[in-house]
Amino acid sequence: MRLTRALLPLMRPGASIINQSSIWGKTGVPDFSAYVASKHAVIGLTRSLAFELGARGIRVNAVCPGWIRTDAAMRSLVSMAQQQGRSEQAVECDLLARQALPGMLTPSDLAGIFLFLASADAAALTGQAIVVSNGEVMS
Amino acid sequence: MAAALTLSLAGRTALITGAATGIGRAIALAFAQAGASLVVNHLGLSEQADVLVQEIHNLGGQAWALEADVSQSADVTWLAAQVQQTCGGLDVLVNNAGILQEKRFLDTTEADWDRMLGVDLKSVFLTCRAFLPGMVARQQGVIINIASDLGILGRAQLVPYCAAKAGVIGLTRSLAREFAPAIRVNAIAPGPVSTAMLSPTSMSVESIQKELDIPQQRFAVPEEIAATALFLASDLSRFYCGQVLGPNGGSVMP
């Protein structure tokens, strides 16, 4: 919110704002309620800003990634495993079983959607929250 | 199947935050008519809260007014202690307190953001944290969070409000998963309702006009939202978990 407000005066028609949300901006999970609330809030902010900035030709969208092999996500996985008293491998196996496509996403799997949303090819897209999760969440 | 499912709240105690006026007041009256004992929370509206308590007494019900700022941790701790002392436990928590300020995003200050997120989102965290331990101990309880259709749709000049209300929906879904099956947590995302929040004192006439642009082309009366709250508080909704119900005149059709 602070960064967007500071940079907005510099943005021209055709500009694109992309906010990082999460699949947990679309659904809830136990034990992460504050994180889930904040990621839902990012989508609310995205949709309101899309209306407010539409007349200036500025598009605002959100990306909602699923589980990605990053250090932060792996720390969450470790804490989930500890809470459940199970191995990290077992928890990971459960998470991946919810996906339509096999395998955990890597950071480079996200680049395509950011490139697309930043490009003129996405000129008609605003206020959207696009899920990139190997099919874990479909809505 | 055990006893028949009914809308009755006889023998249950309910706390409604921000209950002195508007939707909260209508929920309090609906719950009282269904047999619940009511704790009427308010902030700086003693006169209206006292009138409501008297109305509930006249219906033959029990009610207490308790003033507390639910965006403040110390106030919520005090409120929980008072409820425990007066009622011995809470069965239904309705997080209804909310504020709205219409402002262009670029004019929105950090203080505006903190105030709206404090009352509209943090308060839900604080009350849930204060009352859930008692519900867990008794292995029963219902939490109803009042969100908004604007938390799903977004609206220009209402960025912090929409962000907070979307946050309420995320909080609802997570708590529902974490505390099921004993405690049910659901949300209501009303469309436009005739209250002080949707009046020229807090919103521009153009924005209010825009709110009428829904299939039913009218504002709800608070009682129409209270009906959904009564359903969610009662055993009739006992298989509802983490849901967002939308009495909204058709503004959102997911």
Side-chain angles (χ1 to χ4, degrees), chain A residues 4-5 7-8 11 14-20 45-46 49 53 58-63 114 117-118 125-128, chain B residues 105:
Chain A
T4 305
R5 205 178 44 185
L7 294 180
L8 262 180
M11 296 186 112
S16 170
I17 297 173
I18 307 172
N19 297 321
Q20 185 81 274
L45 188 142
T46 298
L49 267 186
L53 302 178
I58 299 172
R59 297 181 295 105
V60 192
N61 291 290
V63 174
F114 277 83
L117 287 175
L125 265 75
T126 194
Q128 302 304 302
Chain B
F105 180 68

Side-chain angles (χ1 to χ4, degrees), chain B residues 12 124 174 195 203 206:
Chain B
R12 309 212 183 143
V124 184
S174 294
T195 64
M203 279 175 89
E206 299 78 53

